[in-house]
Amino acid sequence: MGHPVYDVNATDEDAGSYGYVMYGLTGGAEDKFAIDPNTGIITVNGTLDREKKPSYTLTIQAYDNHDAEGNSKSSREQIEVKLLDINDNDPYFDKMMYNAEVFEDEAIGDSVKQITAKDDDVGNNQVITYSFNPGTNGTDYFTVDSENGEIFVNSSLKGHLGKYYLELNATDRGNPPRSNTTNVYVDVKDVNDHKPVFVALEGQISVAENATIGTKVTVINATDEDVGSNGDVTFSITPGSNQESSLPFNISRDGIVRTNGTLDRETKASYTIRVEATDGGEPKLNSFKDVTIYVRDVNDKPPVFARNTESIMVLEEERSNNSIATLTATDEDENAIICYFIVGPLPSEEVKRVFNLDKTTGELVLRKKLDRESKDKHTLVISATNICDQTPPDTNFNEASKHLMKLEVNVVDINDNSPRFKKKSFTAGVTKDSEEGFEVLSLKEHVTDLDIGNNSILTFYLDEASVNFSAGLKEELNNTVPFAIDPNTGVVKTSVYFQAETQGYVDFHVYVNDTGGKSDYATVSIYLVSAIEQVKIVVIGNKESFKKNRDSFAEFLSNVTGAIVTVDKLLTHEKIQGAVDSGPRTDVYIHAVDRNTKKVLTSKALIRLLDQNVDKLEKFYTDYLVVEVKEYEAVQPTNSPLLEPLKLGLMITGLILLLLLLIIIAMFFTARRKYQRKLKAATALSYGAPDELNRVDPVPGTNLHTFEGSNPIWLEQNFENEWPEEDEADVDSRSVESNDSNNSLDDNAIKDTEEGFGDERYMTSDLMDDFDHKIPPSQVANSDIYLMAALKEHEDTKHMNNLNKEYGRDDPYINGVIPDGVNHRISMNSDNSYNDLGEFTTFDPVTGTLLLNGMQTTEI
């Protein structure tokens, strides 16, 4: 409605109201279309159906000066509105059901029937595609042409007689497409392509020589694999090559051979008749069989069975007309003919409807299939007699009668029944503190299989493809299915540990299979519940007795509350200490799920529901012996047997890690201290040149420098190398000494002292002898640089002696003193000249040392 169709535009050359054009619509289509009088826009004003009327002719009137009566001019114009098709019609068939017939010998590709559908739409909306809906019993044998709906034979029909059902689907090519279906029944007819086949006759066919005319001699049986009239077999006696022209027998159409004259065994002991079996097909097919009938003596001893109680096993669903046993009796009479009849138990009609006993051969044949689930054992009373033309009267088994046999037919089970769940959906709950492997639900007790033995062995499995998680639960569980099922017991167990904050539910299908591949499935919904969502109901009786009523218990509460109530677990009720012993009780823990939201109700909400329906629950509480209903009380969890070893392992691991941390810290500080010492040693010479050293600290005697690294020559050669190894005592002593304010090797830094003027410099060192114990040995080991200063001064002294020689003093060290006999203190100038600063130096010729202001030196 209101959809614009066309914009009409008319012009008028007049001015003012004479030139103002208005529009109107005439022509009988006003109920379908409307025109705006001012704008001329035509719109849809009613329901349009192209299939009923594909187009409309509209008359448009344009007029001016509409307010002046009789002075308005107008013009008319017709337009045709064609309706475009939309796919609003389903394809349809002329009939709701079609029938077709085809013979079983039709070749693959032969046409069966063509069925077409119609569609009132046009274009692609009218183009129809045909197909069969799957799931019917005829799709394996027939196919349909998708373009024209012609049905063809798709598979050999040989032996596949009967009616086949097809659902023919017609779908148009509209967008979206529309479709319709019809039912097609194809009757596969039998072709008369099988001859009758005689049922084998075991043993002799005989008749007593005193048999009267019309006595029944035997029954000829034949089978035909065709069906219907093609399988109907009639019998007749036809002349044979060695057959007399006149016989004392005749045969009915149904194969009963009777006497037709008198018999004299002494004249003729046997007769051979040719029996013709003819079916009812077109053309008729026939078979021939020669049957010999013996004339026997009249005897006075009945036949007897060697054992008058027998038992046989027969598979259920054994095909009808199959032989299951052959009975044999003996007769003391000569040439005795024994016939067998079913005579009991009373009444024998029921047994005879199931079994057929060939009286002459003793062959026991099934008339119909056996069903063990309906009856697992059949008892027959068989009579053996020489009188074959008379059926013995029915009787019960008498062990004293040797001509009677009690035959027990035990039906052996086959796997012809599928396991069945007693209901199609199960609901259960599991608390979030449940450990992995917790048994949530046992399904085996809810499955029945009418078969027995190996055929009733059940296997369960969980279809992971059917698992459905509530919102957010799948991601929280990392796409892991939180439940598993024991394939043998059908017990659903948890397969993960749930977090305390985990909530929601999981739906999945559980299949049950028997050993024959037959199966059934049910839907299982398991909700994650917490303590605040469970209600404890205390009932009188033990757990085992309550299990029988577990399902009805939950079902009744569900019906009353309107929620889905599930029994989560059963616990033996613990008696309160000091309370009177009132017999066993059971704690029944339940939870409830809102049917609409699928959310678990809190225990308070569930108890509130129960309270609201207390009038409906009075009889329920009485029937189920309910004594208390209360909110769930969390039970303090007991320590798991694995918890203590786990704690001990964690403690040991923690101690080991702590010990390793302490060792690493100790190694770090030790390495740091060594590195600092090496750093100090490497920077010891950064404060002055060796030839300008002037140390404040006293220098030990040179005879103390007797270990590696302390000799001045070694120092000069290896000053850049690694600092020598130190024992712990030295390190400890220096560590103590380094606690002063400087805490550095800077104490050994060289201090220059300038005296005099110009370039003249001198250096003084306070030396001490070897036996001065004020300096500890550890400092001596690190005072090589002081020794270098002393050696430098010693070199200067030698240089001074050379100068004395230059001045005429040939022996400056006579008697250990300078020739003037006075010890002098000298200073060296930059040009290697010297200044005599007075008495200072003494030479010891015994030790070979020079005493400089008390310092003892050694000449290298």
Side-chain angles (χ1 to χ4, degrees):
M1 299 289 288
H3 187 275
V5 178
Y6 190 74
D7 186 1
V8 178
N9 187 19
T11 60
D12 192 320
E13 295 181 356
D14 294 326
S17 61
Y18 297 111
Y20 184 76
V21 180
M22 299 189 70
Y23 304 91
L25 183 65
T26 62
E30 291 83 354
D31 59 333
K32 300 295 183 181
F33 300 92
I35 187 169
D36 189 295
N38 297 310
T39 64
I41 296 176
I42 300 173
T43 58
V44 177
N45 193 39
T47 302
L48 303 177
D49 188 348
R50 188 202 64 78
E51 286 72 29
K52 293 181 178 179
K53 188 171 184 179
S55 65
Y56 293 86
T57 299
L58 307 180
T59 301
I60 311 300
Q61 181 181 14
Y63 54 91
D64 60 8
N65 197 22
H66 66 283
D67 292 331
E69 296 183 1
N71 194 23
S72 175
K73 297 184 180 295
S74 64
S75 177
R76 294 175 182 270
E77 186 71 28
Q78 285 187 338
I79 65 172
E80 184 179 7
V81 179
K82 293 183 178 180
L83 301 184
L84 299 178
D85 183 50
I86 63 171
N87 194 23
D88 59 344
N89 291 282
D90 293 333
Y92 61 90
F93 294 92
D94 292 336
K95 300 178 182 179
M96 293 299 295
M97 180 181 70
Y98 293 86
N99 292 300
E101 292 183 354
V102 63
F103 287 102
E104 63 173 332
D105 59 350
E106 293 288 347
I108 295 176
D110 286 354
S111 176
V112 177
K113 191 179 185 67
Q114 183 172 12
I115 301 173
T116 57
K118 300 176 182 178
D119 195 316
D120 291 336
D121 296 317
V122 296
N124 279 338
N125 297 334
Q126 191 182 35
V127 179
I128 297 175
T129 301
Y130 300 91
S131 63
F132 285 141
N133 289 336
T136 60
N137 65 344
T139 54
D140 292 337
Y141 302 102
F142 303 97
T143 186
V144 63
D145 189 303
S146 61
E147 300 295 331
N148 58 27
E150 187 170 6
I151 300 173
F152 296 94
V153 176
N154 190 43
S155 180
S156 174
L157 301 177
K158 198 68 174 178
H160 300 286
L161 308 179
K163 284 195 174 182
Y164 292 87
Y165 168 63
L166 298 165
E167 285 186 2
L168 181 60
N169 183 59
T171 304
D172 62 27
R173 295 183 182 178
N175 186 19
R178 303 176 74 94
S179 63
N180 205 343
T181 61
T182 187
N183 299 324
V184 181
Y185 294 91
V186 180
D187 189 6
V188 179
K189 296 288 187 179
D190 179 53
V191 175
N192 191 28
D193 54 351
H194 295 91
K195 291 182 178 181
V197 177
F198 285 94
V199 176
L201 299 174
E202 295 184 5
Q204 293 180 344
I205 299 175
S206 64
V207 59
E209 63 179 345
N210 60 349
T212 60
I213 294 174
T215 300
K216 181 179 177 182
V217 179
T218 188
V219 177
I220 306 299
N221 292 316
T223 61
D224 194 315
E225 293 184 9
D226 295 319
V227 296
S229 60
N230 295 332
D232 292 337
V233 180
T234 59
F235 300 91
S236 62
I237 296 177
T238 184
S241 58
N242 297 320
Q243 185 174 299
E244 296 84 358
S245 59
S246 177
L247 292 173
F249 303 98
N250 61 20
I251 188 169
S252 63
R253 290 177 59 85
D254 55 357
I256 300 176
V257 178
R258 300 179 183 274
T259 59
N260 192 33
T262 59
L263 301 174
D264 186 0
R265 179 184 171 280
E266 285 71 24
T267 303
K268 191 171 181 62
S270 65
Y271 295 87
T272 299
I273 61 175
R274 171 159 289 190
V275 179
E276 180 182 7
T278 305
D279 64 21
E282 289 295 336
K284 297 182 182 299
L285 300 177
N286 53 17
S287 299
F288 299 92
K289 183 178 182 63
D290 290 335
V291 179
T292 300
I293 302 175
Y294 295 93
V295 180
R296 67 177 182 274
D297 285 339
V298 176
N299 62 78
D300 55 355
K301 292 186 180 291
V304 296
F305 289 100
R307 295 174 55 185
N308 58 0
T309 301
E310 293 287 351
S311 176
I312 61 173
M313 310 288 285
V314 178
L315 285 175
E316 66 172 328
E317 300 295 329
E318 185 81 25
R319 293 179 58 184
S320 58
N321 294 325
N322 277 9
S323 175
I324 61 174
T326 300
L327 308 178
T328 303
T330 60
D331 194 320
E332 296 179 3
D333 293 324
E334 185 178 2
N335 300 323
I337 303 300
I338 304 174
C339 292
Y340 305 88
F341 297 91
I342 299 174
V343 295
L346 293 174
S348 64
E349 286 74 14
E350 180 182 351
V351 178
K352 292 177 181 178
R353 284 194 292 267
V354 180
F355 302 94
N356 179 56
L357 180 63
D358 189 301
K359 67 177 181 179
T360 59
T361 63
E363 184 179 23
L364 187 64
V365 177
L366 289 176
R367 289 185 180 272
K368 64 178 182 179
K369 295 180 180 180
L370 303 179
D371 184 10
R372 187 205 62 81
E373 288 73 31
S374 300
K375 190 171 185 179
D376 61 354
K377 184 169 69 173
H378 299 265
T379 302
L380 291 76
V381 178
I382 310 298
S383 173
T385 178
N386 298 126
I387 305 173
C388 296
D389 56 350
Q390 294 181 7
T391 302
D394 291 347
T395 181
N396 285 324
F397 175 69
N398 183 358
E399 190 172 359
S401 299
K402 299 301 182 183
H403 71 286
L404 297 179
M405 171 188 284
K406 182 173 73 173
L407 177 66
E408 292 184 347
V409 180
N410 297 294
V411 183
V412 179
D413 184 57
I414 65 171
N415 194 5
D416 58 343
N417 291 281
S418 299
R420 287 286 180 263
F421 282 100
K422 296 179 181 178
K423 56 182 181 179
K424 298 303 291 182
S425 63
F426 296 87
T427 304
V430 58
T431 55
K432 301 173 186 177
D433 58 354
S434 299
E435 296 184 355
E436 182 178 358
F438 174 76
E439 295 185 3
V440 181
L441 178 65
S442 177
L443 294 175
K444 192 169 187 177
E445 60 196 56
H446 298 285
V447 178
T448 60
D449 193 325
L450 298 178
D451 296 320
I452 60 174
N454 290 336
N455 296 328
S456 64
I457 297 177
L458 304 179
T459 303
F460 298 83
Y461 75 93
L462 188 154
D463 182 12
E464 295 192 1
S466 68
V467 176
N468 176 47
F469 296 85
S470 60
L473 183 58
K474 184 176 183 180
E475 292 74 14
E476 189 173 348
L477 296 175
N478 297 323
N479 295 332
T480 301
V481 179
F483 300 100
I485 189 168
D486 188 297
N488 299 316
T489 64
V491 174
V492 179
K493 301 179 180 180
T494 58
S495 59
V496 299
Y497 286 99
F498 296 103
Q499 301 296 326
E501 63 275 8
T502 305
Q503 60 183 355
Y505 63 88
V506 180
D507 295 333
F508 51 85
H509 289 166
V510 171
Y511 284 81
V512 58
N513 295 337
D514 61 18
T515 54
K518 298 182 182 298
S519 65
D520 192 18
Y521 79 94
T523 301
V524 177
S525 300
I526 301 179
Y527 291 81
L528 303 179
V529 298
S530 59
I532 63 172
E533 296 166 336
Q534 284 189 317
V535 169
K536 183 175 75 172
I537 300 178
V538 182
V539 299
I540 298 175
N542 55 38
K543 292 192 297 183
E544 296 303 321
S545 62
F546 182 82
K547 284 181 179 178
K548 302 175 183 177
N549 304 317
R550 179 173 183 161
D551 291 342
S552 60
F553 184 89
E555 182 179 358
F556 190 92
L557 289 178
S558 299
N559 294 334
V560 170
T561 61
I564 303 174
V565 177
T566 302
V567 176
D568 294 330
K569 60 182 177 180
L570 305 175
L571 297 178
T572 300
H573 183 72
E574 294 186 3
K575 186 182 70 172
I576 302 175
Q577 188 173 5
V580 178
D581 187 3
S582 57
R585 296 187 179 187
T586 300
D587 294 340
V588 181
Y589 291 88
I590 65 171
H591 77 272
V593 176
D594 189 294
R595 294 182 185 272
N596 298 322
T597 64
K598 278 198 169 186
K599 291 186 177 180
V600 181
L601 302 179
T602 64
S603 58
K604 292 183 181 296
L606 178 53
I607 288 182
R608 189 162 53 251
L609 275 177
L610 297 175
D611 291 342
Q612 292 171 358
N613 296 277
V614 66
D615 54 333
K616 301 178 182 178
L617 293 173
E618 288 183 2
K619 187 175 185 304
F620 169 80
Y621 289 152
T622 303
D623 293 343
Y624 287 95
L625 304 178
V626 176
V627 297
E628 184 179 13
V629 178
K630 61 188 300 186
E631 293 183 31
Y632 174 78
E633 295 179 353
V635 180
Q636 186 66 26
T638 58
N639 288 332
S640 171
L642 298 178
L643 188 59
E644 291 303 325
L646 181 61
K647 288 182 177 179
L648 181 60
L650 291 175
M651 292 176 62
I652 294 175
T653 303
L655 291 175
I656 292 174
L657 293 176
L658 179 60
L659 181 60
L660 289 175
L661 180 62
L662 293 176
I663 292 174
I664 292 173
I665 292 174
M667 292 175 64
F668 169 76
F669 280 105
T670 300
R672 180 174 178 272
R673 188 158 53 191
K674 287 186 178 182
Y675 176 77
Q676 288 177 338
R677 287 297 306 158
K678 291 180 181 180
L679 181 64
K680 294 175 184 178
T683 58
L685 296 180
S686 61
Y687 297 95
D691 55 82
E692 298 174 346
L693 294 177
N694 182 14
R695 297 293 178 176
V696 178
D697 290 342
V699 180
T702 57
N703 61 335
L704 297 178
H705 299 272
T706 58
F707 52 90
E708 182 182 21
S710 62
N711 191 289
I713 295 179
W714 181 91
L715 181 64
E716 292 177 354
Q717 295 175 349
N718 301 280
F719 190 74
E720 299 296 330
N721 296 336
E722 183 179 355
W723 200 264
E725 293 291 332
E726 303 167 336
D727 57 29
E728 294 182 358
D730 294 337
V731 174
D732 295 339
S733 62
R734 286 195 303 275
S735 298
V736 174
E737 294 171 359
S738 64
N739 291 330
D740 57 12
S741 60
N742 293 326
N743 192 23
S744 171
L745 284 177
D746 295 345
D747 293 342
N748 299 329
I750 291 88
K751 178 181 180 182
D752 292 338
T753 303
E754 295 187 1
E755 296 183 4
F757 54 89
D759 293 332
E760 184 179 290
R761 297 181 181 180
Y762 68 92
M763 178 176 63
T764 62
S765 296
D766 294 332
L767 304 177
M768 50 191 301
D769 60 15
D770 296 342
F771 304 100
D772 190 344
H773 299 288
K774 295 180 180 180
I775 301 176
S778 60
Q779 185 169 346
V780 174
N782 292 283
S783 302
D784 293 342
I785 199 161
Y786 296 98
L787 181 59
M788 292 181 65
L791 292 174
K792 176 64 177 173
E793 188 171 355
H794 181 64
E795 289 296 326
D796 292 342
T797 303
K798 290 177 65 177
H799 184 67
M800 181 191 68
N801 292 338
N802 293 333
L803 292 177
N804 288 336
K805 291 181 180 182
E806 292 178 4
Y807 287 98
R809 298 176 182 177
D810 297 330
D811 189 6
Y813 289 99
I814 297 175
N815 296 324
V817 297
I818 296 178
D820 58 4
V822 180
N823 297 326
H824 292 265
R825 184 164 64 93
I826 61 174
S827 64
M828 297 298 298
N829 299 322
S830 58
D831 59 352
N832 290 330
S833 63
Y834 70 93
N835 297 320
D836 189 353
L837 300 180
E839 181 180 7
F840 184 77
T841 305
T842 303
F843 177 73
D844 186 351
V846 178
T847 62
T849 61
L850 183 68
L851 300 178
L852 301 177
N853 196 24
M855 182 184 73
Q856 193 176 55
T857 63
T858 302
E859 181 177 355
I860 306 301

